[in-house]
Amino acid sequence: MRTHHAAALLATAVALALTACSPAEITTKPDTKASPPVGGATSAAPTPPATVGDTVTLKGNEDGEQLAVTIRKWVDPAQSDDEFMKPDDGKRWVAAQFELVNTGTAVYSDSPSNGTQVADDQGQQFQSTFAETTAGPAMTSAAKVAPGAKVLGWITYEVPKDSKIAKVQFTMNSGFASQTGEWTIK
């Protein structure tokens, strides 16, 4: 019993230490190209939050891990491409097409759907589900992307029929990196 208690305390201490070393950060600011101020103005309007079509650059946990993440398309509701698969009663599928471009110096190796979720306007969060939809080819579950290369695919979520989805989030390293990208769904 003491061994299990000591192991649990050690695991908790390690988890707390790792959390303290890498504070969570949610990035809603899309990447922008620098442009000179017009007419000599020095202040600019605040950047609106990222939406479908915008790219957000995120860093992973390891040196050299970096992705430019874009939600290319959003489908609500998403239809099954299999007559035998469908959402549970009272639920529907929604889907986002992600493009992940490796802008780092290390190979990106992960299951992208593990690090993504959606949230409705009430704050309820929903994880991805394994579903093939007519929206297009699913995101690979074993991405290995060399620097400069990209991967493209759809990730599907099962949500209550009456939920209004407001945000999509993506985090590298199966959801354990300290930076999370967030896109507003309109």
Side-chain angles (χ1 to χ4, degrees):
M1 185 68 167
R2 282 187 184 186
T3 304
H4 292 290
H5 185 66
L9 286 174
L10 179 61
T12 302
V14 169
L16 289 172
L18 289 174
T19 303
C21 292
S22 56
E25 171 190 334
I26 295 182
T27 302
T28 62
K29 184 178 175 186
D31 296 353
T32 57
K33 296 190 186 320
S35 59
V38 177
T42 56
S43 64
T47 304
T51 60
V52 174
D54 288 333
T55 300
V56 175
T57 298
L58 301 169
K59 293 186 184 295
N61 289 334
E62 302 298 323
D63 287 341
E65 288 182 335
Q66 182 173 288
L67 293 177
V69 181
T70 307
I71 296 182
R72 290 279 170 214
K73 297 177 185 173
W74 174 256
V75 174
D76 182 0
Q79 303 300 316
S80 177
D81 75 348
D82 178 342
E83 65 182 287
F84 301 107
M85 295 279 301
K86 63 179 184 170
D88 290 339
D89 288 340
K91 301 203 174 176
R92 73 182 193 280
W93 287 341
V94 296
Q97 184 186 44
F98 283 87
E99 178 183 81
L100 311 176
V101 178
N102 187 340
T103 56
T105 57
V107 172
Y108 169 68
S109 181
D110 198 5
S111 179
S113 64
N114 289 346
T116 181
Q117 63 185 0
V118 296
D120 68 13
D121 60 354
Q122 300 300 306
Q124 298 177 99
Q125 297 180 335
F126 308 96
Q127 302 299 316
S128 62
T129 189
F130 293 103
E132 299 279 335
T133 69
T134 58
M139 176 64 76
T140 181
S141 62
K144 290 180 182 26
V145 186
K150 73 177 178 179
V151 63
L152 179 72
W154 287 86
I155 297 177
T156 304
Y157 312 85
E158 186 171 83
V159 302
K161 277 190 178 180
D162 59 350
S163 284
K164 180 178 178 355
I165 301 303
K167 299 182 183 304
V168 177
Q169 292 183 334
F170 180 86
T171 308
M172 293 178 65
N173 306 112
S174 287
F176 289 101
S178 62
Q179 283 188 320
T180 296
E182 184 173 271
W183 293 258
T184 298
I185 301 299
K186 296 180 180 180

